[in-house]
Amino acid sequence: MTGLLIAGAVLLFFVFLLTVPFHAVISADDELRVWIRVLFVKISVFPAKKRKHPKKEKRKREKQAAKKKKKKEKKEAAPKKKRNILHMLRLILRIAAAIMKKLRRHLRIRLHAYEIAVATGDAAKTAVLYGAVAGLSSNLFELLQSGIHFKVKKSAPVDVSADFLGEKTKVRIKIDFSINLWGVLATLLAAGIAFVKNKSQTAVKS
């Protein structure tokens, strides 16, 4: 009886492990962030967190102290660099394509927000930038919609607009890609079968 209970517990554990969803989340506002979440564990992927080394950090701070004093006035006087929205969207597109490349069939995609208000402070530049942003956004949505399990949340704000009176582009994007371990194993199995078939066909032809 005890053996059956242990076997049942082990079986339930593996079933649970295979069905636990792994989430890869792309989020963008002032900066682009990518993280992986499994249950309550959240791991930052981009930007990667650098490991801190106390001694090295101390020496580095001492060396940079003098430079910071010299550059302080220049930094205060210099205008702040505007976020490159096109670079951000291209990066999101590349990350999404990389995630979907092999896992498309078993991947669940949820769009939580996609809001971009393009602004540069100049009407002509805003119009040109808006056209480029709209084109990249269209490419991204086409890619996401090619997934079998793509869904836009009912409460998700979706809008790309041009703000001709604004000075700064505002961005709010959040896309959640999730897959369970069973889906990963099924994808690997399918890839392995395809590889074996291709190898055997090549051997026959030769």
Side-chain angles (χ1 to χ4, degrees):
M1 186 66 180
T2 304
L4 288 174
L5 288 173
I6 294 172
V10 171
L11 180 61
L12 286 174
F13 171 76
F14 278 106
V15 170
F16 172 75
L17 187 64
L18 288 171
T19 55
V20 169
F22 289 72
H23 295 263
V25 181
I26 300 174
S27 177
D29 37 51
D30 288 331
E31 64 176 354
L32 178 64
R33 295 182 299 276
V34 181
W35 69 82
I36 294 173
R37 180 172 59 82
V38 183
L39 295 178
F40 303 107
V41 180
K42 184 178 176 180
I43 303 169
S44 178
V45 177
F46 181 88
K49 291 183 178 179
K50 295 180 179 179
R51 293 182 179 180
K52 294 183 178 180
H53 300 280
K55 292 182 179 179
K56 290 183 179 180
E57 288 292 325
K58 187 178 179 180
R59 287 197 296 269
K60 190 176 180 181
R61 286 195 298 267
E62 290 174 354
K63 289 179 180 179
Q64 290 178 345
K67 292 181 180 179
K68 285 183 178 179
K69 288 180 181 179
K70 292 179 181 179
K71 293 180 179 179
K72 188 176 180 181
E73 292 181 1
K74 291 182 179 180
K75 285 184 178 180
E76 289 177 352
K80 293 183 179 179
K81 292 183 178 179
K82 293 183 179 180
R83 176 179 57 241
N84 191 332
I85 181 63
L86 296 181
H87 174 73
M88 182 183 287
L89 288 178
R90 290 189 187 105
L91 189 55
I92 291 174
L93 194 56
R94 285 200 296 270
I95 294 170
I99 294 173
M100 295 178 67
K101 187 175 181 181
K102 298 294 183 182
L103 305 173
R104 190 184 304 270
R105 289 182 60 189
H106 302 279
L107 202 62
R108 299 177 69 85
I109 306 168
R110 295 293 178 267
L111 184 71
H112 293 267
Y114 196 92
E115 280 186 304
I116 304 175
V118 180
T120 64
D122 180 89
K125 290 180 180 178
T126 297
V128 173
L129 184 58
Y130 169 73
V133 168
L136 284 173
S137 297
S138 177
N139 292 341
L140 178 59
F141 269 82
E142 187 178 345
L143 174 67
L144 295 176
Q145 287 170 351
S146 69
I148 297 173
H149 307 290
F150 171 70
K151 185 178 180 181
V152 179
K153 288 277 188 177
K154 289 183 179 180
S155 59
V158 180
D159 182 53
V160 178
S161 60
D163 182 2
F164 293 104
L165 300 177
E167 296 288 334
K168 184 180 179 181
T169 296
K170 296 178 182 178
V171 182
R172 185 187 169 212
I173 298 173
K174 186 178 180 182
I175 308 169
D176 186 325
F177 300 85
S178 64
I179 189 171
N180 54 37
L181 189 56
W182 173 252
V184 174
L185 293 175
T187 301
L188 292 174
L189 180 62
I193 293 172
F195 174 76
V196 171
K197 284 184 178 180
N198 182 64
K199 192 174 181 180
S200 62
Q201 287 174 0
T202 304
V204 170
K205 288 180 180 179
S206 60

